[in-house]
C-alpha cells in the first residue's frame, strides 16, 4: 500500500527548480500549523483512545493513524477535497459540502470539520480576496485551491500530511511520545499521503467509505470524557 | 421478496420482510420501497437474518431501499442482522426521505462471518450507504466500505478491534435530543452515541458476535422506538 513517490514533484536533481514556487508556498502557508484554523485543538477521538489505554505507545499510535489514513477520514477528506476542486460550479461544490457535513459521525467530528473550515474560509477569503463560503474544511481547501489554480495532487498531499502531522502532535502530547518518536512515525506514514494524492485522481464520491468504526466510537465517547485538552 | 403484515393496531402497522430466496447471492438485485403517509406509523423488520452468500468473482448482490416518511408519520426500520459470508459481495443503499415533522428510527446490524462456526470474512466486498434527507436536504450520510481482506482490516484499533458484529442506530425526530442521556447510559465500551445535531441522534456499536450486539441493541431499540418493538427483536 505504502509505495509512495508516485507523484512527480520537486525532485532533488540538482537542476534549477522546475516549477513555479508560488503555488507550493501558498499551500505550505495554508496547511502549516501556524495557519489559524485551530487544528491543534482537535484530536479526532485520539484523546479517548489514549484515556482508555488503547493507544499507549508509538506502535499503537502508528497503527491507529495508518488505519485512519487508509480506511478513515484521511481518505474520505482527500476524496471530498478532490471533488470540491473538480466541482464545475458553485452549486456542485455546495452539494459536496452538504455531503461532507452529513458524513460527520458525531457532534465533535462535525465541529472538527465545520469549525476548521469556517476559520480557513474566513482568513483565506480575506488574504486572497476569494469568495469562499464557510464550507467544511476539506471542501473549503479544495475549492480555494481550485480558484487559485493550485495543483490538486499537491493540495491533497499537503492537506493529508497536515492532518497526519496534527494527530502526531496530539499523540506527542497525550500518549505521550518523545518528539523524535513522533516524527519518526510521521515520516514512516508520509508515503500514505503520497498514495492518497495519487489515488484521488480517479476516486469520486461514489468511492467514499470508511472502515474506522472504532475511531467514530472514540469521538462519541470523547464527548463525555471527564478531563480533556481537545475539542474532539 | 414478500412482506407479511402480522400486526396492525390503530395507525401502526408492522411489515415483516421475507426473502423467499433465502439469501442474497452475487448478481441478485432487490429493491424495497415503503411510504408512510401523514400520521401513519410503519414498522419494518425481517423474518430472519439476511444472508449474503459467497459470490462468484465479479458479481455483486445489490439491495436498494427507499423509505418515505410524510408529515407527522413515522417509520421504524429494524431489520435483523445481515450476515456476510466469506467471499460475499454486497452493495447496499438505504435512502430516507422524511418530512420535517416525521420520525425515523433505524437499526442496521451487520455480522462478519458465521462466528459460532469460527468463520470470518477473510475476503469479501461490502459497501453500505445511508442517505437521510429531511425536508429535502441531506441531513445525514454514512458510508461503510470494506474491500478485500475484511477480517484483516477489522483487526485494527481504529477499525473494529477484531469485533465481528457492528450496528448503526439512528433516530431522526424533532425530540431526538432528549434520548441522548438515556442512550449514553446503555453504551458498552465498544459503542458510542452522539447527538450530531439537534434532532439527529446516531450510535455506532461493535461487538464480538451478534448475541453480544443484541444485548445492547435490544434495550436501545426499546428506548428509541418505545414499546412497539417488533417481536423479532424480543430476547
Amino acid at each position: 500500500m505504502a509505495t509512495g513517490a508516485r507523484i512527480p514533484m520537486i525532485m532533488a536533481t540538482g537542476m534549477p527548480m522546475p516549477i513555479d514556487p508560488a503555488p507550493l508556498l501558498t499551500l505550505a502557508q495554508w496547511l502549516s500549523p501556524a495557519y489559524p484554523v485551530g487544528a491543534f485543538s482537535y484530536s479526532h477521538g485520539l484523546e479517548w483512545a489514549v484515556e482508555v489505554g488503547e493507544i499507549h505507545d508509538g506502535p499503537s499510535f502508528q497503527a491507529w493513524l495508518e488505519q485512519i489514513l487508509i480506511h478513515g477520514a484521511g481518505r474520505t477528506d482527500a476524496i471530498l477535497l478532490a471533488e470540491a476542486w473538480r466541482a464545475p460550479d458553485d452549486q456542485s461544490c455546495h452539494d459536496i459540502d452538504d455531503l461532507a457535513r452529513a458524513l460527520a459521525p458525531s457532534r465533535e467530528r462535525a465541529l472538527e470539520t465545520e469549525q476548521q473550515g469556517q476559520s480557513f474560509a474566513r482568513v483565506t477569503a480575506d488574504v486572497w480576496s476569494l469568495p469562499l463560503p464557510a464550507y467544511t474544511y476539506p471542501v473549503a481547501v479544495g475549492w480555494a485551491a481550485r480558484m487559485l489554480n493550485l495543483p490538486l495532487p499537491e493540495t491533497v498531499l499537503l492537506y493529508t500530511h497536515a492532518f497526519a502531522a496534527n494527530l502526531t502532535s496530539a499523540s506527542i502530547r497525550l500518549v505521550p511520545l518523545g518528539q523524535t518518536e513522533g516524527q519518526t512515525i510521521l515520516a514512516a506514514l508520509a508515503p500514505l499521503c503520497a498514495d492518497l494524492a495519487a489515488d484521488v485522481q480517479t476516486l469520486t464520491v461514489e468511492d467514499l467509505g470508511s472502515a474506522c468504526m472504532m475511531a467514530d466510537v472514540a469521538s462519541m465517547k470523547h464527548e463525555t470524557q471527564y478531563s480533556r485538552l481537545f475539542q474532539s | 421478496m414478500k412482506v407479511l403484515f402480522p400486526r396492525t393496531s390503530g395507525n401502526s402497522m408492522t411489515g415483516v420482510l421475507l426473502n423467499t430466496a433465502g439469501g442474497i447471492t452475487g448478481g441478485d438485485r432487490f429493491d424495497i420501497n415503503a411510504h408512510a403517509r401523514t400520521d401513519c406509523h410503519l414498522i419494518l423488520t425481517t423474518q430472519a437474518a439476511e444472508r449474503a452468500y459467497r459470490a462468484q468473482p465479479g458479481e455483486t448482490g445489490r439491495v436498494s431501499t427507499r423509505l418515505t416518511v410524510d408529515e407527522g408519520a413515522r417509520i421504524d426500520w429494524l431489520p435483523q442482522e445481515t450476515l456476510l459470508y466469506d467471499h460475499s459481495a454486497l452493495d447496499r443503499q438505504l435512502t430516507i426521505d422524511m418530512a420535517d415533522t416525521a420520525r425515523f428510527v433505524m437499526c442496521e446490524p451487520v455480522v462478519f462471518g458465521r462466528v459460532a462456526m469460527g468463520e470470518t470474512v477473510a475476503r469479501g466486498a461490502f459497501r453500505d450507504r445511508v442517505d437521510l434527507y429531511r425536508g429535502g436536504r441531506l441531513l445525514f450520510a454514512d458510508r461503510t466500505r470494506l474491500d478485500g481482506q475484511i477480517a484483516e482490516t477489522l483487526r485494527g484499533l481504529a477499525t473494529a478491534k477484531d469485533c465481528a458484529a457492528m450496528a448503526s442506530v439512528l433516530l431522526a425526530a424533532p425530540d431526538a435530543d432528549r434520548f441522548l442521556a438515556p442512550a449514553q447510559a446503555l453504551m458498552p465500551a465498544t459503542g458510542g452515541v452522539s447527538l450530531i445535531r439537534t434532532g439527529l441522534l446516531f450510535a455506532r456499536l461493535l461487538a464480538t458476535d451478534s448475541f453480544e450486539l443484541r444485548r445492547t441493541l435490544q434495550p436501545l431499540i426499546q428506548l428509541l422506538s418505545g414499546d412497539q418493538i417488533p417481536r423479532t427483536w424480543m430476547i
Side-chain angles (χ1 to χ4, degrees):
Chain A
M1 192 68 79
T3 55
R6 276 200 261 151
I7 320 177
M9 281 191 49
I10 307 170
M11 300 296 173
T13 56
M15 304 273 289
M17 193 172 281
I19 58 165
D20 178 6
L24 276 183
L25 287 173
T26 303
L27 289 172
Q29 183 173 353
W30 287 358
L31 297 161
S32 124
Y35 208 61
V37 300
F40 64 88
S41 67
Y42 297 101
S43 89
H44 204 75
L46 177 71
E47 188 166 29
W48 172 262
V50 171
E51 169 80 13
V52 292
E54 275 166 23
I55 295 176
H56 51 85
D57 58 6
S60 53
F61 168 68
Q62 181 168 345
W64 182 85
L65 180 55
E66 181 176 338
Q67 288 145 28
I68 285 176
L69 290 172
I70 296 174
H71 299 291
R75 181 177 179 276
T76 299
D77 274 8
I79 295 173
L80 292 167
L81 190 162
E83 287 286 72
W85 193 93
R86 290 188 288 248
D89 50 43
D90 284 9
Q91 186 54 53
S92 309
C93 196
H94 257 292
D95 292 345
I96 291 157
D97 187 61
D98 281 348
L99 178 59
R101 254 169 243 277
L103 281 168
S106 68
R107 183 168 60 80
E108 294 187 349
R109 289 273 295 276
L111 183 74
E112 188 177 316
T113 194
E114 288 172 1
Q115 188 273 316
Q116 290 186 90
Q118 191 174 33
S119 301
F120 175 86
R122 193 169 51 230
V123 180
T124 309
D126 284 349
V127 177
W128 280 269
S129 303
L130 295 175
L132 188 60
Y135 287 143
T136 50
Y137 192 29
V139 175
V141 173
W143 188 237
R146 165 67 177 285
M147 285 194 283
L148 292 181
N149 290 315
L150 307 180
L152 175 61
E154 283 81 353
T155 309
V156 172
L157 183 72
L158 292 185
Y159 179 93
T160 310
H161 189 266
F163 174 72
N166 184 53
L167 291 178
T168 301
S169 294
S171 81
I172 288 170
R173 279 192 278 168
L174 287 170
V175 175
L177 301 180
Q179 293 287 351
T180 304
E181 185 171 26
Q183 295 306 320
T184 305
I185 291 168
L186 183 58
L189 296 183
L192 294 176
C193 303
D195 286 346
L196 276 173
D199 292 347
V200 294
Q201 305 272 24
T202 55
L203 297 175
T204 72
V205 287
E206 294 303 311
D207 300 297
L208 283 170
S210 166
C212 288
M213 287 79 72
M214 284 306 292
D216 294 351
V217 169
S219 81
M220 293 165 166
K221 296 261 191 210
H222 186 262
E223 290 178 19
T224 54
Q225 189 167 333
Y226 177 65
S227 167
R228 35 187 255 165
L229 299 171
F230 291 82
Q231 293 194 70
S232 75
Chain B
M1 188 78 79
K2 279 186 184 170
V3 192
L4 311 172
F5 296 100
R7 208 177 79 180
T8 305
S9 61
N11 275 348
S12 162
M13 174 182 266
T14 300
V16 180
L17 302 171
L18 171 61
N19 183 351
T20 49
I24 304 166
T25 53
D28 282 352
R29 167 88 208 211
F30 294 96
D31 285 291
I32 299 159
N33 281 285
H35 189 162
R37 296 203 187 272
T38 306
D39 297 333
C40 289
H41 179 195
L42 179 62
I43 302 160
L44 291 169
T45 185
T46 51
Q47 199 188 42
E50 184 69 283
R51 290 169 164 74
Y53 296 116
R54 170 183 282 261
Q56 295 301 314
E59 289 196 336
T60 299
R62 292 180 200 280
V63 181
S64 174
T65 305
R66 176 170 281 276
L67 306 174
T68 308
V69 201
D70 289 351
E71 294 288 347
R74 167 175 167 186
I75 289 184
D76 296 13
W77 175 251
L78 305 170
Q80 295 194 61
E81 294 82 356
T82 292
L83 179 50
L84 304 177
Y85 280 50
D86 194 14
H87 286 81
S88 57
L90 179 62
D91 189 313
R92 297 197 305 185
Q93 166 84 52
L94 170 63
T95 307
I96 305 104
D97 194 351
M98 64 189 288
D100 285 322
T101 58
R103 186 177 198 85
F104 177 68
V105 183
M106 175 191 94
C107 175
E108 273 281 7
V110 176
V111 180
F112 296 94
R114 289 168 293 176
V115 182
M117 298 171 64
E119 183 187 279
T120 62
V121 182
R123 295 198 69 86
F126 177 59
R127 293 286 180 93
D128 209 9
R129 282 161 291 172
V130 179
D131 289 294
L132 182 139
Y133 295 84
R134 186 157 69 192
R137 204 189 150 96
L138 184 65
L139 179 70
F140 174 82
D142 192 29
R143 302 280 183 278
T144 303
R145 175 182 168 272
L146 283 154
D147 264 338
Q149 299 184 330
I150 289 183
E152 182 60 34
T153 299
L154 292 177
R155 205 157 287 155
L157 281 176
T159 55
K161 270 179 66 185
D162 229 359
C163 286
M166 66 174 190
S168 319
V169 178
L170 183 76
L171 171 67
D175 67 339
D177 305 27
R178 71 183 173 89
F179 291 90
L180 177 62
Q184 278 169 337
L186 295 173
M187 289 298 125
T190 51
V193 60
S194 180
L195 187 72
I196 302 177
R197 5 192 137 258
T198 193
L200 179 69
L201 185 83
F202 180 60
R204 215 188 270 299
L205 297 133
L206 292 125
T208 48
D209 55 39
S210 58
F211 179 76
E212 279 301 314
L213 188 62
R214 273 192 177 232
R215 280 167 38 128
T216 305
L217 290 182
Q218 203 272 344
L220 186 59
I221 295 171
Q222 194 113 43
L223 170 71
L224 300 182
S225 68
D227 52 356
Q228 290 163 307
I229 177 167
R231 196 161 301 213
T232 50
W233 274 100
M234 305 284 193
I235 46 175

